[in-house]
Amino acid sequence: MAEIAVSRIERAVDVIDPVFLRSPLVSDDQLSAALGREVLVKVETVNPIRSFKGRGADYFVSGLAAGQRVVCASAGNFGQAMAYAGRRRGVQVRVYTALSANPAKVARMQTLGAEIVQVGADFDVAKDAARELSRQDPSWVFVEDGHEPAVAEGAGTIGLELLAATELDAVVLPVGNGALITGVGRLLKERSPSTKVVGVCARGAVAMLEAWRTGRVEPTTSVDTIADGIAVRVPVPNAVRWMREVVDEVVAVPDSALVDAMRLAADTLGLVLEPSGAAGLAAIAEHDLPAGRIATVLTGSNVSPGLVRLAA
């Protein structure tokens, strides 16, 4: 079974579309004062798909053979990333989403050139449908966010950029399907082993947290959170295994803390974040995390107008 490799994270820097690389790392006095500690934020929202997922998607698509097509499931951000990478590299992309998927994210996936199929009550039902298409027609390559090393390695380039900028005592990262925290975590554990890696789940979607704690990959019956980007009901086994190797702590935050963090980012940084994109800030505000210099990644700003009004 392929593993995440630091050598490939380094190689990814030369392959990924530069539009996704070298995102700003910001230190804001007002933000740090509000959180009661020094906090640096890596802003992964200033790119064409408004999230970090373009790094991993583009690195994965770059490795496909000629004539291959890609099918995936997405709550919205990974699908946008795959659509963007597919269009750039001439690869056909089909994305399965839940019937309840954020309409704004669905529209952006379509604008970027993906074929959209909406099916099922949640993301994991849509994932099963995407996987079944690949079983029936192998010309469609099924890619699962959190399962593929290349996707995590692309996300891991964020870790390279963090370490190139400063020394860190801890990095706090949202946990969806796990590609971000496993890619960055693998890099940090090799290059800066003293840096603590902390994951954040929504309190209404703790499947990945429980799997990390126990090592058992067990789905929950439902999820209940405004943070669709981290609303995981069925853990990804590879991601769980990798997380248990590189993650020091995982915490959960309520939706109210996510909304407060969205407001904080707007007031101090002038940034509109989606709930999952603000999860790291929410965790820093809610939990007693490792002391010292801490960084988090603002992972996305694909937010519906209703949530913008809620956080205003």
Side-chain angles (χ1 to χ4, degrees), residues 2 11 28 36 39 49 70 119 123-124 158 162 176 188 201 203 213 233 236 260 264 281 288 292 300-302 306:
R11 190 182 312 142
D28 181 85
V39 177
I49 62 167
V70 172
V119 60
F123 164 77
D124 290 294
I158 292 172
L162 286 170
L188 290 175
C201 293
R203 191 169 291 171
R213 281 180 179 165
R233 184 174 63 81
V236 179
D260 288 345
L264 180 63
L281 294 177
D288 183 18
S301 63
N302 288 296

Side-chain angles (χ1 to χ4, degrees), residues 9-273:
I9 293 173
E10 294 174 324
R11 190 182 312 142
V13 174
D14 298 322
V15 176
I16 295 169
D17 186 337
V19 75
F20 296 115
L21 300 174
R22 292 174 288 280
S23 57
L25 181 63
V26 176
S27 175
D28 181 85
D29 291 341
Q30 187 181 7
L31 176 69
S32 293
L35 293 172
R37 60 183 302 163
E38 182 181 12
V39 177
L40 304 175
V41 291
K42 185 80 162 152
V43 184
E44 286 287 310
T45 64
V46 286
N47 61 58
I49 62 167
R50 305 174 188 168
S51 86
F52 77 94
K53 289 183 182 282
R55 295 176 184 248
D58 197 49
Y59 191 45
F60 176 84
V61 172
S62 73
L64 293 176
Q68 289 186 305
R69 304 182 288 180
V70 172
V71 61
C72 67
S74 176
N77 289 356
F78 186 62
Q80 289 180 62
M82 293 302 299
Y84 184 95
R87 185 174 68 178
R88 176 174 182 256
R89 296 183 183 274
V91 173
Q92 185 179 353
V93 174
R94 181 181 295 181
V95 181
Y96 283 74
T97 74
L99 293 169
S100 58
N102 182 331
K105 293 185 179 183
V106 172
R108 285 185 62 80
M109 287 187 282
Q110 290 173 319
T111 298
L112 290 167
E115 177 188 354
I116 306 299
V117 179
Q118 292 194 265
V119 60
D122 62 25
F123 164 77
D124 290 294
V125 175
K127 186 189 289 188
D128 288 341
R131 188 182 283 111
E132 182 60 26
L133 173 67
S134 182
R135 289 195 188 107
Q136 293 178 1
D137 184 351
S139 71
W140 287 99
V141 176
F142 174 65
V143 54
E144 183 176 18
D145 191 11
H147 175 81
E148 297 291 342
V151 176
E153 288 158 356
T157 58
I158 292 172
L160 285 174
E161 293 173 14
L162 286 170
L163 290 186
T166 187
E167 294 182 357
L168 293 167
D169 296 291
V171 175
V172 184
L173 301 166
V175 178
N177 282 312
L180 175 63
I181 198 165
T182 57
V184 173
R186 179 69 69 196
L187 186 284
L188 290 175
K189 289 307 174 187
E190 182 160 322
R191 296 295 173 80
S192 182
S194 64
T195 301
K196 300 298 184 184
V197 179
V198 180
V200 188
C201 293
R203 191 169 291 171
V206 294
M208 290 293 281
L209 184 157
E210 293 299 332
W212 170 80
R213 281 180 179 165
T214 67
R216 296 191 300 271
V217 178
E218 297 177 347
T220 56
T221 56
S222 63
V223 293
D224 182 15
T225 177
I226 59 172
D228 61 346
I230 54 175
V232 175
R233 184 174 63 81
V234 182
V236 179
N238 268 9
V240 172
R241 181 168 55 83
W242 293 332
M243 281 180 63
R244 286 172 62 82
E245 294 172 356
V246 302
V247 175
D248 297 289
E249 183 177 1
V250 182
V251 299
V253 294
D255 281 1
S256 59
L258 294 171
V259 173
D260 288 345
M262 292 168 67
R263 292 192 182 111
L264 180 63
D267 291 344
T268 60
L269 302 172
L271 295 174
V272 175
L273 301 177

